[in-house]
Amino acid sequence: MSRAVVRRLRWAAAVVAATLALAGLPATASAATASGTAAGARSVTFTDQQVLELTRDGTRRGASGLGVHHTDADRVTARNAAVAYAACDGCRAVALSFQVVLADGRPTDVDAQNLAVAVNDHCRRCETLAVAYQVVVASPGRTHLTEVGRVGLQYVELRLGGLARSGRPLPEIRREADRLMRIVQDIVTEELDARPVIRERERWDRD
């Protein structure tokens, strides 16, 4: 079996394992993915993920995102994942995934799933970093994010993009990601009348 095929199989195994752990579903199952406002829906699933696969020597890539979702569904599933996988020499992969879910109307069921996976697959001089942050707010009434809050979240999303591709040392990226999440926490706390629940995942892999 060729080296390329072996790498592909290992990558597939890593992503499948991450997906199954996140979704809690069999491999053949599928889930609807929603974005934005799902007004009047009884059940809704929001999925945000930043996934990087590097197989060419010397590749350096960063991926980031901040998903913001608002719903009044009775049953809410929120899934957030960051996956950084490298199977090459001298590679660097940085995946940063932030998610904010605002669930109005006292939902009967909220299932929040947050996952980060970083893998160096027989790499030399490789760095991989995956950071996943999730904020889920369940409120008995209707919530409204102010204009200041919306602008603030746009600022964080812009900064995340620059951070993932910055080339800065991984510890610095991790600290800055923490700082940006604190900004998100402050925005949700101050610009929305509800108390946030924050979940954090991170994975490092160096060789």
Side-chain angles (χ1 to χ4, degrees), residues 155-171:
Y155 164 81
V156 171
E157 185 174 20
L158 182 63
R159 292 299 301 270
L160 272 179
L163 182 63
R165 298 184 294 271
S166 66
R168 294 164 60 179
L170 296 190

Side-chain angles (χ1 to χ4, degrees), residues 11-191:
W11 158 249
V15 173
V16 168
T19 302
L20 294 181
L22 181 67
L25 298 173
T28 55
S30 62
T33 299
S35 62
T37 302
R42 306 305 297 172
S43 179
V44 66
T45 297
F46 299 110
T47 301
D48 292 290
Q49 58 184 11
Q50 298 298 322
V51 179
L52 283 177
E53 176 198 9
L54 306 186
T55 58
R56 181 175 298 178
D57 291 350
T59 305
R60 302 172 66 87
R61 289 185 56 195
S64 68
L66 169 58
V68 181
H69 311 282
H70 202 169
T71 182
D72 62 358
D74 292 331
R75 296 178 299 277
V76 180
T77 299
R79 298 171 178 165
N80 185 48
V83 180
Y85 175 92
C88 44
D89 293 338
C91 293
R92 174 186 169 100
V94 176
L96 310 175
S97 187
F98 285 20
Q99 183 186 62
V100 176
V101 176
L102 309 176
D104 291 351
R106 200 187 299 277
T108 58
D109 183 29
V110 177
D111 182 12
Q113 305 164 20
N114 194 46
L115 180 72
V117 177
V119 178
N120 278 346
D121 187 0
H122 295 83
C123 289
R124 293 180 298 178
R125 305 180 307 280
C126 282
E127 293 182 317
T128 54
L129 172 64
V131 177
Y133 264 119
Q134 183 183 56
V135 178
V136 179
V137 179
S139 173
R142 289 190 173 274
T143 59
H144 174 73
L145 190 63
T146 68
E147 181 65 22
V148 171
R150 289 193 293 270
V151 171
L153 292 178
Q154 291 171 358
Y155 164 81
V156 171
E157 185 174 20
L158 182 63
R159 292 299 301 270
L160 272 179
L163 182 63
R165 298 184 294 271
S166 66
R168 294 164 60 179
L170 296 190
E172 289 187 14
I173 292 177
R174 184 65 180 86
R175 288 194 295 270
E176 180 65 11
D178 287 343
R179 189 185 73 84
L180 291 173
M181 177 43 63
R182 287 194 295 271
I183 293 176
V184 173
Q185 179 181 357
D186 290 344
I187 289 171
V188 174
T189 301
E190 297 172 8
E191 304 300 329

